[in-house]
Every structure is written in structure tokens, then in C-alpha cells.
Amino acid sequence: MIPAVLQFPIIDPIIFSIGPIALRWYGFMYLIGFVFAILIANKAADKSNGLWTRDQVSDLLFYGFLGVILGGRVGYVLFYNFDYFLTDPLYLFKIWTGGMSFHGGLLGVLTAIAYFAFKEKKTFFQVGDFVAPLVPLGLGAGRVGNFINAELWGRETDVPWAMVFPTDNLQLARHPSQLYEFFLEGVVLFAIIYLLNKKPRPSGFISGVFLAGYGAFRMFIEFFREPDAHLGFIFSFVSMGQILSMPMVIAGVALMHWSLTRPKQEETVAKKKNKKRA
């Protein structure tokens, strides 16, 4: 018996076009994520008692945007298409052919955070904790764009919500893994960070939550997502996405532990100094 599958909602990837200029759903979804980031960041700046200004928010988001684009492209080429890059180094600049990596984009954003923190005389984690709540909604919007483009689909399955994607040459019923990522990496991760961020947290804690949360969700979803065709599985059933996400989980947990224990350590050191003075 052939399992029933859901009908993939065919959507024109182009919303509208005027001559050679076209607005695509994929870019529009990222624009939505960027707008939400601006609104949330400006609201946080207004409530920061002067620690942040809207001008700083504009500069930070600009540097972050550059970090996402440049880091995402370089990361994709080095992590997923390095052999091809060796044969054609100009491939790095052929952005119109597609290909962006979240993990590369993350490294780009971390670089942007470091530069902004130095420029504005803020600590790295002060900026990182400010940025962390802004990221999940952008990630979620991007995954909706992937779904509309019928790309980055999941592995073959017989679950009732399986879909046959028009871009799949094999026409197999697959997990709509883009929607899994939208829900976990976008909605759930944002909710977790938002709730935890409602109360003051030690420096670095929210950054750690983001790293560990995204890494854990991504590693889980990779069990349902089809690996890149030219890479396949790296080790048995382990994908490149899982390999790149594991350090995020480790770093995030370590950062949260450091953040929570540092005040106690500082208090202990202060008490020892006071005893010596006495």
C-alpha cells in the first residue's frame, strides 16, 4: 500500500517582477526576519536606560548583516564545497549560484560582534547577549523561504505529513524538514530565549543558551534532513551539519556554566582580598 502524502503547495518563488527586477519569496522572508530584528532591538534599546541607542542598533545590525552574507558564503564554500573551490577559486564569488552556510554565517556574526564591541567599548558578551534574541526569528523566516523554494528537504519517510517536493528527481515522499527547523530553530528557540531574557541574567548566559539551543535542535533535525548530495554522511549516519553543530552545544553549555559560576568565584576572590586587608 502506497502511503498518502500531503500535496506540496506550489508557490511561484517570484512575488512580482518589474522588468529585470524581481522580488522573491526567499529574499522577502529574510527581509521579514530583519524587520523583526530591528523592532525587537529598538525596543530593547529604549528600555536599556541609556546602555544602548537606536543608532548603535542600526550600526550593529549593519555589521551583522555583512557578517551573515560574507561568513555564510565563505562557510558554505569551505565546509560543503571545498574540493570544487580548489578547482575553481572564483566559485567563492559566484553568489548567484546559491549556497549559504549557517555555521559560516555564525562565524561572520561573531566577527561583527567583536568589531562592534571594540568600536563601542562594550564587552563581547554584552553585545552577544543583545544579539542572541534577534537571531531565531530570522532563522525561522529563512527556513520558510527554503520550504517555498522546495529546497533542503528531508529524508524519505512514510509519516502522514510526508511531501513529494517538485525539485526532487526521485519524487520520494519526504520529511518537510524545513518546517521542523522553522518551528524548533525559529519559534521554540526564540520563545526560550525570550522567557529567560525577561529577568536579568549574568553576562554570557543568553549567548550560551542560543549556542546550545540552536546546536541541539540542528543536530536533532539533521536526523530527518537529507544530507547534501555531494557530501552524504561523513561518518556512518553523521552529517556535516551535526559535526558543525556539536562544538556549538559544547561551547554553549560551557558558556552557561561559566556565566552562572563566575559571580560566585568573583565573590569568593573578593572575600579573600578583604580578609587579607583586615
Side-chain angles (χ1 to χ4, degrees), residues 9-238:
I10 302 296
I11 303 174
D12 190 337
I14 298 177
I15 302 176
F16 67 85
S17 60
I18 302 176
I21 301 175
L23 177 61
R24 296 178 176 271
W25 279 108
Y26 186 74
F28 181 67
M29 295 311 299
Y30 272 106
L31 178 61
I32 290 177
F34 188 71
V35 169
F36 271 110
I38 293 176
L39 295 176
I40 295 172
N42 281 336
K43 185 177 180 180
D46 293 341
K47 293 182 177 181
S48 69
N49 295 321
L51 293 176
W52 288 87
T53 67
R54 291 199 171 203
D55 287 340
Q56 288 177 324
V57 167
S58 297
D59 290 345
L60 176 59
L61 292 180
F62 173 73
Y63 296 139
F65 179 76
L66 288 181
V68 168
I69 299 300
L70 298 178
R73 180 58 181 174
V74 172
Y76 176 79
V77 171
L78 297 183
F79 298 151
Y80 294 94
N81 272 288
F82 187 66
D83 290 340
Y84 190 86
F85 168 69
L86 291 178
T87 60
D88 180 17
L90 292 179
Y91 175 65
L92 177 65
F93 305 100
K94 298 178 180 179
I95 300 178
W96 58 89
T97 63
M100 296 285 285
S101 162
F102 165 80
H103 298 91
L106 175 63
L107 293 176
V109 170
L110 292 178
T111 302
I113 288 174
Y115 172 75
F116 180 86
F118 173 79
K119 176 176 174 291
E120 296 294 330
K121 295 180 174 56
K122 296 180 181 290
T123 67
F124 179 85
F125 290 124
Q126 185 181 7
V127 181
D129 289 346
F130 187 84
V131 170
L134 313 179
V135 180
L137 292 179
L139 292 175
R143 295 311 181 190
V144 173
N146 292 143
F147 179 76
I148 292 175
N149 280 355
E151 60 188 5
L152 304 182
W153 20 257
R155 304 182 194 181
E156 183 180 2
T157 183
D158 60 358
V159 297
W161 56 87
M163 290 185 176
V164 176
F165 290 89
T167 52
D168 177 19
N169 293 330
L170 298 178
Q171 290 295 283
L172 300 175
R174 298 182 178 275
H175 284 286
S177 56
Q178 315 97 320
L179 299 183
Y180 302 170
E181 293 189 85
F182 158 74
F183 179 68
L184 290 178
E185 300 168 7
V187 178
V188 174
L189 185 56
F190 174 77
I192 292 173
I193 293 176
Y194 175 79
L195 292 175
L196 290 175
N197 207 29
K198 292 184 74 172
K199 294 182 179 180
R201 302 291 175 180
S203 179
F205 182 79
I206 295 299
S207 297
V209 170
F210 171 77
L211 290 174
Y214 177 86
F217 287 147
R218 178 65 181 270
M219 289 181 66
F220 172 71
I221 294 171
E222 284 287 321
F223 286 113
F224 304 95
R225 179 174 166 174
E226 184 73 12
D228 292 75
H230 61 286
L231 285 179
F233 294 106
I234 307 301
F235 301 111
S236 182
F237 58 87
V238 179

